[in-house]
Amino acid sequence: MNLSISRRTGCVGAIIGVALGAVYSSVFAYQRIDGYLFPGNELAVPAVTLAIPATDIGVDVSLPGVSTTTRAPWSPDDRLNILVLGLDRRPGEPESASYRADTMFVASIDKHAGNLQLLAIPRDTWADIPFGNTTGVWAQNKINAAYSYGQFYKYPGGGAAACVAAVEKNFSIDVHQFVVIDWVGFVELIDAIGGIEITVPADISDYGTDSLDSFPDQTVKAGQQHMSGAQALGYSRVRVDGDLKRIERQQLVIQAVADRSVGLGLVSKLPETWDAYRHAIRTDIDTAQIPGFALLAKQMDLSRIETFSLGAAMYGSIAEDGQLVLLQDQDRVYDIIDRFMADPELRGEAPRIVFQYVAGEEALAKAALVHGGVFGIPPAFLSMEEVTGVDEPGIFDVTGKRYTAEKLRGLFDLRLIEKADDIPEGADVVVRLGAGTAFKSP
C-alpha cells in the first residue's frame, strides 16, 4: 500500500513538474517578448508555491529569469539610452541628402529610478567617426559630420547608424535606439502642442544669421516667453555666444516640451500622438514598442529632467584643415559620463566611500573600486586607504547614507557594522575589506 501511494505521488509530482515547466517556459518566452514590447514594464511574476499532494513537501520559489514583484536592486541594465539627432535640413531640401547633425544628445531613461537624463555632446567635438561603407574604419572630424559621412558613403544603417557608432566609440556609451528629427519636423511638433513656455534667462540677439528672424528685432527678451515652433527652433539654433550656451538653451526647450506634453496629458496618448506625427521623425523604435514606451513615460517624473553636458570638459583648438574644434579633456569627459551613467539614487546621496585594506591587499581594494564602478558608483566617490589592521571586516555607515551602505552590502560579502574606530576624515561610508572578502552581483 505504501509503495502504491509512493508511486501515485511520484506520478502526480512528475505531472505537476512537467506542467509547471511548460508554464514557466511560456512565461519566460513571453517575458523576452514583453521586454521588447514594453521596456521597463516587463511582466512581473511572484514567487509560487510548489508542493506535492499528500506530502509535506513544498517550497516558495522565484523562477529564474522571470522578474518578481519585489523591487530589484539597481543595475546598469536599468538604463535605456536613446541617441537624439537634430539635422540641419531646411524646408524643401530632400530627406535623403547628406546633412550634419546640428544637435546631438543621449536621452537616458533610468527604468529603476523612473527619471530621464540628457547628455549633450557639442557638435564641434573632434572625434573618430565612421569612414566609408564598412564598419571599423575611422576618420577624424567634428562629430556632427558623422551623419553626413554615413549618408554620403552609404555606411550600413546610414547616417544615424554612423552617429551611434561614433558615440559608442568615443564615449563608451551603449546606445540602444536612435531618433532623428530635422528643422521641419521640429517646428511641426512644437506647433502641434500649441507652442511652449520658456523662461529666458537673458536677452540674446543675432543680426548675422536668420536664426532669430521670427522674433522682433531678431532679439529674444529675458523673461517668460511663449514660443511657436519656428521661434523655439530659432532659440535652439542661435549660437552667437558659443555652442555651449546654445546647448543650455536647447535643454530649456526640451524641458519646456516635456512640461507642455505632461500638462496636455499627451504622455498617456503617446500611441495616438505617435501615429499622427511619426512622419516628422525617423527612428529604429518599432511602432509595436510605442505602448510600452507610453507606460514607461507615465512612470517617469518628466517635470524634472537632469541635464549634463560634455562641453565643460572640452577646450577650443584648430584642426590641421583650419576648422575650429573642441578637444576632449579625457579625465573630465569620463568623470561627467560616470556621473551621468551612475545609479541616480546613490548619486543623489553623493557619498564619499573609503575602502580600507591591510598591507598586501591593495589589488583587492583596486578590484573593489572597479566592481563598484561597474554597478553605478562614480569613481570620483571612491578612494582607498591602507590601514595597519582590520579588527572586523564590514561596512560602516558614518553619516547616514543608508542607500549607499545597503547598496555596498549587496556588492560585497560583508555585513553592516554598528561601530568602527579610525574613521577617515570626511568619509560617509567605510568599507573594511578582509583577505577573503568576496564580490557579489545584485
Side-chain angles (χ1 to χ4, degrees):
M1 185 68 177
N2 289 340
L3 180 59
S4 177
I5 292 174
S6 176
R7 286 176 176 166
R8 287 201 302 271
T9 301
C11 290
V12 172
I15 292 170
I16 292 173
V18 171
L20 285 172
V23 172
Y24 167 59
S25 298
S26 300
V27 169
F28 184 78
Y30 177 76
Q31 190 196 20
R32 303 281 71 75
I33 300 171
D34 189 54
Y36 168 75
L37 295 177
F38 299 97
N41 300 279
E42 291 84 356
L43 176 69
V45 179
V48 296
T49 300
L50 300 181
I52 298 177
T55 74
D56 294 328
I57 302 173
V59 63
D60 289 334
V61 298
S62 294
L63 302 177
V66 180
S67 59
T68 70
T69 53
T70 304
R71 188 170 187 249
W74 185 94
S75 80
D77 292 337
D78 286 317
R79 285 204 173 277
L80 178 63
N81 300 321
I82 302 172
L83 182 62
V84 181
L85 304 168
L87 296 189
D88 188 7
R89 182 178 82 91
R90 304 175 187 232
E93 294 179 335
E95 292 186 16
S96 58
S98 298
Y99 303 99
R100 294 204 168 206
D102 205 42
T103 299
M104 181 180 293
F105 63 88
V106 177
S108 185
I109 301 171
D110 192 295
K111 298 179 285 186
H112 189 273
N115 68 354
L116 174 63
Q117 297 167 190
L118 306 178
L119 176 67
I121 301 171
R123 53 177 274 173
D124 293 338
T125 301
W126 193 248
D128 291 328
I129 65 173
F131 182 78
N133 60 2
T134 58
T135 60
V137 180
W138 307 93
Q140 287 199 313
N141 206 323
K142 292 182 179 181
I143 200 166
N144 74 333
Y147 194 94
S148 61
Y149 270 42
Q151 292 290 96
F152 181 81
Y153 292 109
K154 301 189 184 309
Y155 183 81
C163 289
V164 168
V167 169
E168 292 186 333
K169 171 76 161 55
N170 290 276
F171 305 115
S172 301
I173 297 174
D174 291 332
V175 176
H176 305 111
Q177 319 256 203
F178 67 79
V179 171
V180 181
I181 187 168
D182 55 34
W183 291 8
V184 179
F186 182 90
V187 171
E188 181 179 352
L189 290 173
I190 298 291
D191 285 340
I193 61 174
I196 55 176
E197 301 291 331
I198 295 181
T199 301
V200 177
D203 288 3
I204 184 166
S205 303
D206 185 1
Y207 303 109
T209 73
D210 62 354
S211 294
L212 298 182
D213 281 354
S214 55
F215 290 93
D217 196 30
Q218 294 181 300
T219 299
V220 185
K221 292 291 188 180
Q224 188 74 15
Q225 298 276 358
H226 178 85
M227 296 187 187
S228 65
Q231 289 174 323
L233 174 64
Y235 187 65
S236 299
R237 285 182 55 219
V238 65
R239 58 195 301 242
V240 291
D241 51 355
D243 196 42
L244 304 187
K245 283 293 184 181
R246 189 183 74 144
I247 285 173
E248 293 178 9
R249 286 189 284 274
Q250 290 173 348
Q251 290 174 335
L252 286 175
V253 169
I254 291 168
Q255 182 65 68
V257 171
D259 291 343
R260 179 68 171 165
S261 299
V262 170
L264 293 174
L266 295 180
V267 172
S268 61
K269 300 175 184 176
L270 182 57
E272 297 95 320
T273 307
W274 174 269
D275 189 57
Y277 297 102
R278 62 183 174 182
H279 65 277
I281 67 172
R282 294 187 294 283
T283 180
D284 61 347
I285 298 174
D286 194 278
T287 300
Q289 294 176 280
I290 296 305
F293 276 97
L295 287 174
L296 182 57
K298 287 173 68 176
Q299 298 169 9
M300 294 166 55
D301 180 9
L302 294 178
S303 65
R304 190 180 69 85
I305 299 175
E306 292 186 273
T307 57
F308 299 77
S309 173
L310 294 181
M314 297 187 181
Y315 57 95
S317 186
I318 302 176
E320 291 183 0
D321 61 0
Q323 293 186 85
L324 297 176
V325 300
L326 291 173
L327 301 182
Q328 304 175 44
D329 181 330
Q330 288 288 320
D331 289 340
R332 294 179 65 197
V333 162
Y334 278 99
D335 179 61
I336 293 171
I337 292 174
D338 287 335
R339 290 175 185 268
F340 173 70
M341 298 296 292
D343 175 344
E345 200 165 345
L346 181 138
R347 185 179 61 231
E349 288 192 343
R352 184 194 169 201
I353 304 167
V354 179
F355 285 85
Q356 292 185 331
Y357 66 96
V358 295
E361 296 293 343
E362 183 178 358
L364 174 67
K366 288 181 177 179
L369 264 63
V370 172
H371 186 60
V374 168
F375 288 95
I377 305 177
F381 293 171
L382 302 170
S383 63
M384 304 188 311
E385 179 188 62
E386 182 177 330
V387 293
T388 55
V390 176
D391 295 333
E392 181 183 15
I395 300 168
F396 181 57
D397 183 6
V398 182
T399 61
K401 310 279 187 180
R402 200 63 181 179
Y403 178 85
T404 298
E406 290 288 353
K407 180 182 179 75
L408 289 164
R409 189 166 67 122
L411 295 177
F412 300 95
D413 188 20
L414 295 169
R415 69 184 187 88
L416 293 176
I417 56 178
E418 297 300 321
K419 186 177 180 180
D421 299 322
D422 301 324
I423 299 299
E425 184 177 354
D428 294 307
V429 181
V430 176
V431 181
R432 290 186 166 171
L433 301 169
T437 298
F439 299 173
K440 300 191 296 183
S441 298

